[in-house]
Structures are given as structure tokens and as C-alpha cells.
Amino acid sequence: RIAAIADADDVAQLLSELGYPCDIDEAAERIAAITDNDRQALVVARRDGAVVGLIALDFMYYLPLGTTTCRVTALVVTPTAQGLGIGRALLKEAERRARVGGAARIELTSGTQRTEAHAFYRACGYKDSSVRFVKLLGA
């Protein structure tokens, strides 16, 4: 289901597990920013009443192809829920939403250190595509 502000504590915990620590207030602000943007979505997965995963999507016009691309900007499943198919279900939901949103493709990036995640993505049909370069911008 779509994340709500009430999920801020779970989202903060999941983002921290992904390596992007934030507190509940910051998570609530991030959820609100996504909710207020019709080109983004944040979906959470629940198991036995608890939020155990999330996937964040960003729809953007991709000039080189002249079409919309859906980018997965975050995907995380709690360690205790990994291996239960939740990550695959979140990716399938992302692909469904991408198609409904008119995207011609879906893409994601993953840190070079996340070798287990890379194997998971390949097993889900994703292919190595490009190298990403990042430059942090100061104030």
C-alpha cells in the first residue's frame, strides 16, 4: 500500500537499515514530499501487521529515449523478512505502477558494495546497464 505519515517510524527504521539514517520527523517530511508529488510514489509492504519493506519510485521524462522512465530510488526489506519474496513483490508492484504510469522502462541504481542486492536484481530480470557518477554539491 501507499505509505502514509503514520508509517514514519517504520520508514525511518527502514531507511536507516539501508544506510540513510533519519529520525521520525525527517521520515514524515520525506513521506509528505513524495505524497505531494504526483510523479513519485512510496509503497510499503506489510507482513503480520508490521511494515517490513518499502520501495520508492520516481517517474521522469528521459530525453534520450523521448519517453518516461520509472526509477526505483529506494528498496529495502528488513533483515528478518528477507528471503520471503517481499523484495520481489515490491519490484513487481513497482513494475506494475511503471506500466500504468506510462513508463517505457524501469531502472535502479545500487551501491557497488551491495553485491547481494546486485545478484537479487539480476535474478529478478534486471541487467547491468551503466556506471553512475555522483558529485556532491556544497551549499
Side-chain angles (χ1 to χ4, degrees):
R1 69 168 169 80
I2 292 291
I5 298 295
D7 297 313
D9 55 341
D10 294 314
V11 169
Q13 179 183 348
L14 287 163
L15 289 176
S16 294
E17 287 179 20
L18 191 57
Y20 300 94
C22 70
D23 61 33
I24 293 172
D25 291 336
E26 291 169 324
E29 288 174 12
R30 295 175 191 187
I31 293 167
I34 288 175
T35 302
D36 291 344
N37 185 335
D38 65 352
R39 303 292 292 166
Q40 296 191 353
L42 178 59
V43 177
V44 294
R46 295 173 56 89
R47 183 171 187 266
D48 298 328
V51 173
V52 294
L54 66 75
I55 194 163
L57 308 175
D58 184 21
F59 290 80
M60 61 182 186
Y61 180 76
Y62 190 66
L63 178 65
L65 296 178
T67 189
T68 299
T69 290
C70 178
R71 175 173 286 170
V72 175
T73 61
L75 171 60
V76 61
V77 175
T78 60
T80 57
Q82 290 176 5
L84 301 176
I86 293 166
R88 283 183 187 274
L90 285 167
L91 278 177
K92 284 190 183 298
E93 177 62 11
E95 292 164 13
R96 184 193 71 76
R97 288 176 180 270
R99 285 185 187 96
V100 168
R105 68 183 198 156
I106 189 167
E107 66 180 29
L108 56 86
T109 58
S110 181
T112 56
Q113 76 281 9
R114 299 184 193 275
T115 55
E116 288 182 15
H118 302 167
F120 167 72
Y121 296 135
R122 288 181 190 110
C124 291
Y126 289 74
K127 306 223 180 311
D128 296 39
S129 169
S130 61
V131 176
R132 181 172 92 157
F133 297 90
V134 175
K135 182 177 183 179
L136 299 179
L137 302 176

